[in-house]
Amino acid sequence: MPPARASDDPALRAALARGLDRPAGPDALALAAHLARAFGPATAALIHYGSQAQGSGTGPDSAWDFFVIVDDYTTAYRALAATRPRGFSASRAAFLNRLLPPNVLSVTAPDGGVSRLAKCCVLSLRDLDRACSPAPADHFVRARLFQQVQLVWARDQASRERVTAAVVSARARTFAWGRPFLPARFDAAAYVRALLEVSYAAEIRPEDDRRVDALMTSQGGTMVPIYDALLASLAACGRLAREGEGYRDPRPPGVVTRAFARAWFGWSTTRATLRWAKYVALYDDWLEYVVRKVERRSGVALDLTPRERRWPLLFLWPKALRYLGRRPRRAR
């Protein structure tokens, strides 16, 4: 299996690690340095991901997305609490992170009069390893790490190697979860598109189907070579058959396997949705962030009533469901 070979084959491992050492911009590097200080000595590494890392659909109010990888939640949140206003509970944040990892919270870094917003997904090294293993609790972490990401900061070489190994593992295992959704014949570009479509369908998101097209444009130069190497490895060990310039699965999954895969992703969607309750507790101005993101991705202005702003979890659902039902879909 390629996941096992990735640790034994230096060429495959290097291919699957592609982009991790890609130079980040000065804003991302400055934010990473700020986050490393804010989360204190427990910070092991910072992974930059999302639209700012990929150059896809950013706006003036776009946040910078980071995975903040730590040794221990309690120690990291105690350090962070010292930089935040009174009322932030390190013990509560650590409990929620252990209960349903990762936590997502915002950290604002002042930079010469300009405040930059980092959206932080906080994960322990142990939870990162599990999320990239053959048996993750859900799809949330690997849905982001199989894409174009940058390892912008690491505490030491050991931390860099462990985080790199986790990302390589997540990418090597894409065939296991993507296989039930692949077309009969595909090349690396079609493989990447299938992974993106499955991942976006596994969460309730403000973007419509055209977002996958934008991601293919912005990430294709990095992702297609990554997965071209993986598919070649799968073909070399007999998991795939070559067909012209592409591949086919000689033993495609049956109806039962596909049904189980859809059910598992349904469970993953449930876990992703449950995390929304944590945003209210942890993410500063979470409602404004969501509204801005919806408007940026869809071009649709959301006018909220005073009641919806005051009690969004009670009264915003009808408007949210109407918006999700009206999103444009790609013709198929």
Side-chain angles (χ1 to χ4, degrees):
M1 280 285 294
R5 288 185 59 202
S7 61
D8 302 329
D9 183 344
L12 178 58
R13 177 184 169 84
L16 293 175
R18 184 184 176 99
L20 282 178
D21 59 354
R22 182 170 174 260
D27 291 333
L29 291 174
L31 270 172
H34 177 83
L35 294 175
R37 292 191 299 269
F39 284 90
T43 313
L46 290 155
I47 303 172
H48 185 32
Y49 74 99
S51 58
Q52 294 281 7
Q54 301 155 2
S56 60
T58 59
D61 60 348
S62 298
W64 275 257
D65 298 282
F66 292 89
F67 278 102
V68 181
I69 311 302
V70 301
D71 295 321
D72 173 75
Y73 292 130
T74 300
T75 304
Y77 283 123
R78 283 176 178 167
L80 181 66
T83 70
R84 295 176 75 87
R86 291 177 61 86
F88 178 81
S89 170
S91 59
R92 179 182 64 178
F95 170 75
L96 292 173
N97 222 143
R98 286 189 290 266
L99 181 67
L100 184 61
N103 278 356
V104 180
L105 64 153
S106 61
V107 175
T108 301
D111 182 14
V114 177
S115 294
R116 303 197 184 280
L117 180 68
K119 187 177 74 175
C120 303
C121 285
V122 185
L123 269 180
S124 68
L125 283 164
R126 179 179 179 180
D127 284 335
L128 174 67
D129 287 341
R130 184 186 178 191
C132 299
S133 75
D138 58 46
H139 191 59
F140 185 92
V141 173
R142 67 185 187 184
R144 289 149 177 82
L145 293 185
F146 86 82
Q147 299 186 53
Q148 179 178 308
V149 299
Q150 299 160 306
L151 182 50
V152 292
W153 184 92
R155 180 178 56 202
D156 49 40
Q157 187 60 27
S159 299
R160 179 174 296 277
E161 290 175 358
R162 184 166 175 181
V163 171
T164 298
V167 175
V168 167
S169 177
R171 291 172 171 178
R173 299 184 191 283
T174 52
F175 183 67
W177 58 263
R179 186 183 178 200
F181 307 97
L182 291 171
R185 292 171 178 80
F186 53 91
D187 57 10
Y191 182 81
V192 171
R193 178 176 289 279
L195 299 181
L196 289 169
E197 289 175 345
V198 170
S199 297
Y200 267 69
E203 295 179 32
I204 299 175
R205 302 178 63 96
E207 298 93 342
D208 59 48
D209 286 353
R210 293 171 295 186
R211 180 62 178 159
V212 172
D213 295 329
L215 292 176
M216 288 296 300
T217 299
S218 64
Q219 300 188 59
T222 298
M223 293 178 68
V224 171
I226 289 173
Y227 294 106
D228 196 25
L230 178 64
L231 296 179
S233 176
L234 287 162
C237 67
R239 297 296 303 280
L240 289 176
R242 288 271 190 181
E243 191 152 293
E245 297 297 318
Y247 302 89
R248 64 177 176 83
D249 189 341
R251 295 174 294 276
V255 174
V256 173
T257 299
R258 295 174 189 272
F260 271 112
R262 286 192 293 270
W264 190 90
F265 276 102
W267 167 244
S268 182
T269 302
T270 299
R271 284 177 58 91
T273 306
L274 287 173
R275 289 189 181 92
W276 293 0
K278 297 200 299 178
Y279 295 169
V280 178
L282 297 172
Y283 200 99
D284 296 337
D285 297 325
W286 69 273
L287 183 59
E288 291 304 317
Y289 170 77
V290 171
V291 169
R292 290 196 303 268
K293 183 167 185 175
V294 168
E295 292 178 345
R296 187 173 69 252
R297 293 283 187 244
S298 68
V300 176
L302 293 182
D303 296 320
L304 304 187
T305 66
R307 185 176 68 171
E308 289 169 340
R309 287 187 176 277
R310 187 173 182 182
W311 295 294
L313 295 182
L314 290 177
F315 297 110
L316 193 55
W317 286 104
K319 184 171 290 184
L321 292 173
R322 285 197 301 272
Y323 165 77
L324 291 171
R326 293 172 182 171
R327 287 179 303 170
R329 299 288 179 180
R330 184 191 297 114
R332 297 183 186 277

